Amino acid sequence: MIQRFAIELGPWSWWILGLALLAAEVMLPGVFLVWIGLAALITGGLSLLLWETAFWVWEAQVVVFALLSIAAVFIGRRFVVSSSESDEPLLNKRGESLIGRTALLEQPIAEGRGRIRLDDTTWAVEGPDLPAGTRVRIVASSGRQLTVEPA
C-alpha cells in the first residue's frame, strides 16, 4: 500500500504528508507535529531531486524521513526550550514570589505554626515561636506553607 501510494503520487506524496502534518499542528495544541512536517517537506525536496535515481526507493525515503524526523524533533525541542524563558519567572509561583517580603504575624507562632496576612491573603507560616504582631521575613516557600524568621 505504501509503495503504491509513493509510486502514484511520486515525490509529491511527501509534500502532501508534510502539509497535512503542518495543518494538524495548527489544529492541535503543542509544538510537535511541525518538526515532523518539516522533515516530510525536506524529504519531499530530496525526492524531487533524487526521484529518478536507482537508490531512491520508497524504503530509503522512509528511512530518510525517520532520521530527519528524529533530528528535527531534537533540534526543534532545543530551539523551543531555549526561547521559552519568561521575563516573569515567578508569575505562577506565588509563594516563591513572596520570599524576602516582610509581614506582621496575625496569629502567634506556637509550636512552630502561625499565620500572617500579606496583601489580601492569609498564609500559614512555620518558624520559631513568636507573639502576634511580630514583624517577620519570609525566607522559604513550600506550596501554601511559608517559612519565616524574625525581621
Side-chain angles (χ1 to χ4, degrees):
M1 179 177 137
I2 295 173
Q3 184 177 11
R4 194 175 118 231
F5 179 74
I7 290 172
E8 286 178 9
L9 290 176
W12 299 108
S13 60
W14 291 108
W15 287 88
I16 293 168
L17 176 64
L19 293 174
L21 288 168
L22 292 176
E25 179 67 39
V26 171
M27 291 183 257
L28 299 172
V31 182
F32 183 74
L33 293 177
V34 67
W35 310 117
I36 299 173
L38 288 174
L41 292 176
I42 293 169
T43 304
L46 290 171
S47 291
L48 286 174
L49 297 173
L50 303 172
W51 191 256
E52 297 297 323
T53 60
F55 68 87
W56 195 248
V57 294
W58 73 269
E59 293 92 344
Q61 294 175 38
V62 171
V63 169
V64 167
F65 169 67
L67 293 173
L68 285 172
S69 294
I70 292 169
V73 167
F74 282 117
I75 292 169
R77 180 174 176 183
R78 177 174 285 157
F79 174 73
V80 170
V81 169
S82 68
S83 68
S84 65
E85 294 178 18
S86 172
D87 59 341
E88 297 273 346
L90 299 176
L91 181 64
N92 292 320
K93 300 176 182 177
R94 186 161 182 212
E96 290 179 31
S97 71
L98 300 175
I99 294 174
R101 290 189 58 185
T102 59
L104 294 176
L105 281 174
E106 188 172 84
Q107 296 175 5
I109 299 178
E111 297 179 13
R113 305 246 185 248
R115 294 194 78 71
I116 62 170
R117 176 169 290 282
L118 200 54
D119 299 329
D120 61 348
T121 306
T122 59
W123 292 83
V125 295
E126 57 184 23
D129 289 353
L130 297 169
T134 304
R135 182 160 295 279
V136 293
R137 179 180 319 284
I138 301 166
V139 294
S141 168
S142 175
R144 292 212 19 100
Q145 183 75 35
L146 302 175
T147 304
V148 298
E149 64 183 21

